[in-house]
Amino acid sequence: MKKSEITECSSSSSSSKPAATAPPISPIGSVEFTTDANGLEKVVLRGPRRSTAEVFLYGAQVISWKNKLGEELLFVSSKAVFSPPKPIRGGIPICFPQFLNNGMNERHGFVRTKFWRIDLDPPALPTSAPCSSCIDLILDEQDRWTWPHKYEFRHRVALGYEGELRLTSRIRNIRPDGKPFTFTFAYHPYLFVSDISEVRIEGVETLNYLDHLKDKERVTEQADAITFESEVDKVYVLTPTKIAILDHERKKTIELRKDGLLDAIVWNPWDKKSKAIEDFGNQDYKRMVCVGAAAIENFITLKPGEEWKGRMELNFVPSSYCSGQLDPQKALLGAAACS
């Protein structure tokens, strides 16, 4: 480990000032800088009890998120490659300036395969909620062959006082020639589940979605909730600010909240596609689902000097059961007992 620090993280604080070493379980929170087994630099955020988040400087990618019980909530492929310049299959990749192949750039954009640096003097986030620990990263390198625009991408990863994971991204146009640029954006979380056949997603019923298995055909969701029996590759548009991912077998729910991101992605490759993906295990699809906040259908345009901000929060909620059946309403409220 290179160094560690304790920090209170809010809109007016920075995680750049070193302090005393924190114990593994801290009610305050700590930030550690270290290197993983593959030689990639990473930041370890520690929150209440055993909650943690691990963030690679490569791609600014959260690769692990554990709740207060120390349970892993993110999925990483059994065949993931931790060797730049290849992207890492798992955790929470950031897709910018495009999602999939919807643009002139490489698939899902280039920021997930860039080395970010720690932002030692991040500007304040006026609406930022207090948190137990956080790290601010920045990417502002310009490569006209990759993307011919001058930009500044600031990204904060934070752990809240209940172990919730918050991602906040700010993108600014700093082109000197007065020209705007456009982009799409997505957080692409790989969530760990016990059994994909026991998972349901609530909050997008009756909404329109773009079906990427049918050349982005626009379809209206007819199901009461999303369940999985085959490959799913959808972008739901104009979604609510809260979506719930219910894992019946684990009796647990991940609640996704978002701001500035109107769309939501849902993906599981199922068995056939899994075998065709080089860095994905044949059986990995059973233990994961991707559900993330995005801005895809309508391109975002920034004039010089303008800044866009998007935010996603993931919160772990123990689900409540009545007579062995999940009560979705109480799961979302975090109730501990059945009435």
Side-chain angles (χ1 to χ4, degrees), residues 7-18:
T7 178
E8 284 286 331
C9 189
S10 65
S11 59
S12 61
S13 67
S14 169
S15 60
S16 61
K17 298 178 180 179

Side-chain angles (χ1 to χ4, degrees), residues 33-225:
F33 302 86
T34 185
T35 303
D36 85 330
N38 302 285
L40 293 176
E41 291 182 303
K42 68 177 179 179
V43 180
V44 180
L45 305 180
R46 298 193 186 277
R49 296 175 63 186
R50 296 169 64 189
S51 62
T52 61
E54 299 182 11
V55 190
F56 281 136
L57 298 190
Y58 180 61
Q61 189 160 331
V62 179
I63 202 66
S64 172
W65 169 44
K66 295 180 180 178
N67 61 20
K68 291 191 291 185
L69 301 176
E71 298 171 324
E72 181 59 66
L73 302 173
L74 297 182
F75 169 88
V76 176
S77 168
S78 61
K79 292 186 177 180
V81 178
F82 298 87
S83 179
K86 293 186 177 182
I88 299 171
R89 176 78 64 180
I92 309 181
I94 301 171
C95 304
F96 171 86
Q98 71 181 51
F99 179 73
L100 289 174
N101 296 317
N102 303 327
M104 301 298 292
N105 211 271
E106 61 188 85
R107 180 182 175 88
H108 286 326
F110 58 84
V111 300
R112 63 186 182 142
T113 57
K114 296 291 185 182
F115 284 95
W116 295 55
R117 54 188 173 85
I118 295 172
D119 192 351
L120 297 178
D121 188 24
L125 280 171
T127 59
S128 179
C131 59
S132 61
S133 59
C134 71
I135 189 67
D136 289 281
L137 304 175
I138 185 170
L139 182 69
D140 55 6
E141 67 175 64
Q142 184 181 16
D143 181 352
R144 64 189 183 94
W145 300 110
T146 302
W147 202 50
H149 305 293
K150 195 169 180 59
Y151 66 95
E152 183 180 79
F153 193 147
R154 295 180 184 270
H155 184 60
R156 172 173 288 184
V157 181
L159 274 179
Y161 287 114
E162 295 301 318
E164 66 271 27
L165 179 67
R166 302 192 196 114
L167 306 182
T168 305
S169 293
R170 290 180 286 177
I171 298 166
R172 179 179 293 273
N173 183 341
I174 55 174
R175 288 186 62 140
D177 57 8
K179 294 182 179 180
F181 60 66
T182 62
F183 62 91
T184 56
F185 181 96
Y187 294 121
H188 203 299
Y190 287 72
L191 301 176
F192 175 79
V193 299
S194 56
D195 182 347
I196 187 61
S197 65
E198 296 293 326
V199 170
R200 61 187 277 133
I201 298 170
E202 298 181 351
V204 296
E205 50 274 13
T206 74
L207 298 182
N208 291 330
Y209 65 86
L210 307 178
D211 192 338
H212 282 261
L213 299 180
K214 298 180 180 179
D215 196 27
K216 295 187 287 187
E217 177 184 345
R218 194 180 187 92
V219 183
T220 300
E221 183 60 67
Q222 301 296 324
D224 293 335

